[in-house]
Amino acid sequence: MSQLTSTAVPPVSRATSGGFKTSGGTFYVSKPYRSRSSKKLRALITFTPRKSHFDSTNELSGENEFRGFFSLFWISIFIFTVRVYVRGIESNGRPLNLAFATMFSQDLLTLAISDAVLVLSTSLCVLFAFALQKRWINYYWTGLVIQHIYQTSVLVAAIIWTFNRKWPWVQSGFLTLHSLVMIMKMHSYMTVNGHLQRSEMQGETVLEKLHQATDSVGGWEAALRDAKVHRLEAEAAASIGILSSDSTPTATPGTPNVPEGSTSSYTNVATANALRRRLAAVSQTTQGNISIADIRTEKTNDTHPGIHFVPHVLVDHPDEQIAEMAREYSDLQSELTSPGPLYVTWPNNITFKNFVVYQLIPTLVYELEYPRTERIRPIYLFEKTAATFGTFALLYTVTETFILPYTPTSNASILRPLLDLALPFMIAYLLLFFIIFECICNAFAELSYFADRQFYEDWVIWAVLNITVTGINFIKFRWNSTSWDEFSRKWNKPVHAFLLRHVYAPTILGYGASKTWAMFLTFLLSACVHELVMVIVTKKFRFYLFVLQIVQLPMIFINRIPAVKRNRLLGNVVFWLGLYAGFPLLCVAYVAY
């Protein structure tokens, strides 16, 4: 029911296999070992991007015990649709009457032009970022004001245009939802670039103070020499400790058999240990919500580099005050560089090409760089395109045959439409979910070489990869959502990631709000935006959807009571009954009342 999702913090992201789940995939850092071809100690780092659960290339889905029900669902829907077509031919001489198609094809050219203008208008974000780069404006607070005026103007213009065109609900809903998607993309792009401008300015200030602090230890050059000597001493001590350990492997483990899109690289022991400590620290401080941008380690000189970032040399200075200041400077600088493999550094990302690629990538959170695939697979792209049109045909059939004819009027009873519309709405919802998150998102991800395909989760239970020297072991997962907060976190991951990054977290970090208040404000914003969509689509101010979303808050807290939380079967039944009742109830409320 909630497209703009709640933002309760997920479980700790440390997998039982020893990997670390991040916002883009899972990192696995092997123990140090000595290969046959080289006496040098090194470690293997593997990064595995995420895939959507229904993707045919997802090894986890292929191992799931319920995969047969997925095939059964589509076979049943196909047989049911053929039956509908046959009955339509027998009674009317044609499978469908195409009245719905006539309605949503009205003014189609104008809609396409309007959408193109909307997309092109977002390119002004690049000029905004260019102004930040040149320091013509400071993001805090001049840039922030300009940003929100710009976003508000785009939203208001889209709403006014939609009302003036007097489009049917399909056209109105499409342009409104796409406007909201574009505004979220714009907001993330402008916010991230504004934050990076601030980080660069803070880094310059810290570096100046660091220069001044080295005056007390003989000057800048002397401090650099002392730091290098101290680092060599620490590395020598670490190597002695590793050599004395019985657990150090002596043979090359070989690259694990990882799914397509995964990358593996060798790095030195110091880098591997630094990465492992960094992942563990970030996992604890963020309670499992690790962002790729939070992961940085040292640059290596290996033939196969690992995760690249060069901390300032003075982080190894024996003077703790200087070392701490250098660490602060390194942390600020690390925010300005992507984790690889291209290692994009701000402001080199501020180009129209970079922005166009970001627009194509199915994500609402801007990053300097994303996990990438190596090629476009034509067969995979054809599969998703065919699935999109095939599933849309099924969705159209259900809507025209079983929803529109049973849409209630103002003088109709309430119970009968609820009974008639409950199952068709649920089927339509599942088909629409599959089209958007499995077909369209994966198709755009393939076109844009985007490797992180987890656009939704399994609506609760976690799946775990265990990569060993012999390959990958899989732990099974299930679809058993038992509460609204679990469902709202996982059914729409792009929007959830946006709210978590740009609403929930800033409310806590920027304004000092508690997690409860941050969740309430996030839900309030979500409810307001959902109601705005319904106002534009139905041309009515009723606030039914707003109330239903706000009501989810007390339900979430009730579900967290231990006695209720333990009864997973009851929670699962209540959850599905709520979905079954919610869709037809909203239809009856907005159409008839």
Side-chain angles (χ1 to χ4, degrees):
M1 183 175 294
S2 297
Q3 182 182 359
L4 296 181
T5 56
S6 78
T7 53
V9 178
V12 176
S13 60
R14 183 70 186 268
T16 57
S17 61
F20 293 86
K21 293 183 179 180
T22 71
S23 59
T26 306
F27 273 103
Y28 299 90
V29 184
S30 72
K31 294 181 179 180
Y33 72 96
R34 194 184 303 280
S35 68
R36 295 189 182 96
S37 59
S38 173
K39 295 182 178 181
K40 184 178 180 181
L41 283 171
R42 59 182 181 175
L44 182 68
I45 297 176
T46 300
F47 175 74
T48 304
R50 303 177 297 183
K51 294 180 180 179
S52 58
H53 286 291
F54 290 132
D55 197 321
S56 59
T57 63
N58 191 333
E59 295 81 1
L60 284 173
S61 297
E63 294 292 324
N64 184 260
E65 67 268 30
F66 292 109
R67 62 189 181 278
F69 284 95
F70 178 74
S71 302
L72 177 63
F73 171 82
W74 287 112
I75 294 172
S76 302
I77 289 292
F78 175 76
I79 294 174
F80 180 74
T81 303
V82 171
R83 175 178 174 273
V84 171
Y85 291 164
V86 171
R87 294 189 62 181
I89 293 173
E90 291 175 347
S91 58
N92 302 319
R94 53 184 179 178
L96 299 169
N97 60 30
L98 301 181
F100 184 41
T102 303
M103 185 265 288
F104 72 67
S105 61
Q106 293 178 16
D107 214 9
L108 197 60
L109 180 59
T110 304
L111 177 63
I113 296 174
S114 303
D115 194 56
V117 172
L118 168 67
V119 174
L120 290 175
S121 68
T122 63
S123 61
L124 294 176
C125 294
V126 182
L127 301 180
F128 175 84
F130 184 75
L132 294 177
Q133 173 192 353
K134 296 297 184 181
R135 305 282 179 91
W136 293 342
I137 58 174
N138 289 332
Y139 183 70
Y140 296 101
W141 298 89
T142 305
L144 194 63
V145 172
I146 295 174
Q147 171 186 345
H148 284 84
I149 291 176
Y150 174 38
Q151 294 170 182
T152 304
S153 300
V154 171
L155 179 61
V156 171
I159 293 173
I160 293 175
W161 178 250
T162 302
F163 270 105
N164 288 340
R165 296 303 303 178
K166 298 180 179 179
W167 278 323
W169 62 271
V170 177
Q171 289 88 326
S172 301
F174 169 78
L175 189 63
T176 302
L177 290 174
H178 200 203
S179 299
L180 292 171
V181 169
M182 291 295 101
I183 289 172
M184 284 189 282
K185 275 183 166 286
M186 291 159 46
H187 179 86
S188 185
Y189 181 85
M190 300 167 80
T191 300
V192 169
N193 279 286
H195 173 74
L196 293 177
Q197 183 208 46
R198 185 183 190 184
S199 296
E200 184 182 59
M201 297 171 65
Q202 290 178 334
E204 293 171 355
T205 301
V206 173
L207 183 60
E208 183 179 351
K209 294 180 179 179
L210 185 59
H211 272 275
Q212 296 174 357
T214 57
D215 293 340
S216 61
V217 293
W220 183 259
E221 295 299 329
L224 293 177
R225 288 194 300 270
D226 293 343
K228 292 176 181 178
V229 171
H230 189 261
R231 177 182 177 82
L232 291 174
E233 293 174 351
E235 288 183 347
S239 298
I240 294 174
I242 292 173
L243 290 172
S244 62
S245 174
D246 294 333
S247 61
T248 303
T250 58
T252 304
T255 303
N257 298 320
V258 296
E260 184 174 357
S262 300
T263 56
S264 297
S265 59
Y266 296 100
T267 187
N268 59 37
V269 176
T271 301
N273 290 336
L275 176 60
R276 189 182 293 107
R277 289 194 300 268
R278 179 71 171 172
L279 286 166
V282 174
S283 178
Q284 290 179 357
T285 57
T286 62
Q287 299 189 34
N289 185 42
I290 304 178
S291 171
I292 290 291
D294 293 330
I295 306 168
R296 300 290 191 275
T297 62
E298 297 181 39
K299 184 175 181 180
T300 72
N301 295 320
D302 292 355
T303 305
H304 304 282
I307 308 303
H308 285 233
F309 175 70
V310 183
H312 197 277
V313 175
L314 292 181
V315 298
D316 297 307
H317 196 277
D319 187 294
E320 185 57 34
Q321 181 181 0
I322 294 177
E324 179 62 31
M325 198 174 298
R327 282 191 290 269
E328 181 183 357
Y329 174 75
S330 297
D331 288 340
L332 290 170
Q333 290 300 109
S334 70
E335 297 181 13
L336 302 178
T337 304
S338 67
L342 299 180
Y343 310 104
V344 179
T345 301
W346 193 87
N348 297 331
N349 63 299
I350 303 175
T351 63
F352 281 101
K353 179 182 178 181
N354 177 273
F355 184 75
V356 170
V357 172
Y358 166 59
Q359 288 287 61
L360 289 175
I361 292 176
T363 182
L364 301 176
V365 176
Y366 179 73
E367 303 284 357
L368 291 175
E369 188 180 356
Y370 297 94
R372 310 307 296 270
T373 57
E374 296 179 354
R375 61 187 178 90
I376 295 177
R377 296 165 291 176
I379 296 178
Y380 180 88
L381 197 59
F382 173 79
E383 172 195 333
K384 296 304 176 184
T385 304
T388 299
F389 286 102
T391 310
F392 179 78
L394 299 177
L395 176 62
Y396 179 90
T397 302
V398 171
T399 303
E400 183 175 275
T401 308
F402 299 102
I403 294 180
L404 294 182
Y406 296 95
T407 301
T409 59
S410 57
N411 56 358
S413 64
I414 297 178
L415 295 180
R416 182 55 187 268
L418 291 179
L419 185 61
D420 291 335
L421 294 172
L423 183 58
F425 262 117
M426 177 58 67
I427 295 176
Y429 165 74
L430 294 176
L431 294 176
L432 185 62
F433 169 85
F434 186 82
I435 290 175
I436 295 175
F437 295 104
E438 180 58 39
C439 300
I440 296 178
C441 285
N442 270 302
F444 273 95
E446 189 71 14
L447 288 171
S448 58
Y449 298 89
F450 184 53
D452 183 13
R453 308 294 175 89
Q454 194 177 56
F455 307 114
Y456 57 90
E457 289 190 52
D458 56 352
W459 298 0
V460 68
I461 304 301
W462 297 94
V464 179
L465 273 173
N466 179 21
I467 296 185
T468 65
V469 296
T470 58
I472 301 176
N473 299 322
F474 299 100
I475 295 178
K476 300 173 182 178
F477 56 86
R478 297 166 287 171
W479 293 76
N480 295 315
S481 186
T482 59
S483 64
W484 287 106
D485 59 333
E486 289 177 336
F487 168 73
S488 58
R489 285 199 309 270
K490 296 180 174 67
W491 87 276
N492 187 341
K493 293 294 289 182
V495 172
H496 170 69
F498 175 86
L499 290 174
L500 188 66
R501 175 81 170 267
H502 296 294
V503 180
Y504 181 80
T507 302
I508 296 176
L509 300 176
Y511 300 97
S514 64
K515 293 182 180 179
T516 302
W517 271 106
M519 184 175 68
F520 171 76
L521 292 176
T522 304
F523 252 94
L524 181 63
L525 175 63
S526 172
C528 289
V529 173
H530 276 83
E531 188 60 37
L532 174 64
V533 174
M534 297 306 298
V535 168
I536 296 172
V537 169
T538 64
K539 311 297 189 296
K540 297 178 181 179
F541 287 92
R542 294 295 185 269
F543 292 96
Y544 300 133
L545 182 54
F546 177 86
V547 172
L548 283 180
Q549 283 206 257
I550 295 300
V551 166
Q552 292 181 31
L553 281 172
M555 293 176 61
I556 289 174
F557 288 108
I558 292 175
N559 284 326
R560 291 178 179 177
I561 298 175
V564 178
K565 193 174 183 179
R566 284 194 296 267
N567 196 334
R568 303 189 63 84
L569 177 61
L570 177 62
N572 185 246
V573 171
V574 171
F575 162 74
W576 283 113
L577 288 177
L579 273 187
Y580 259 110
F583 296 124
L585 185 61
L586 287 173
C587 177
V588 172
Y590 279 102
V591 173
Y593 302 98

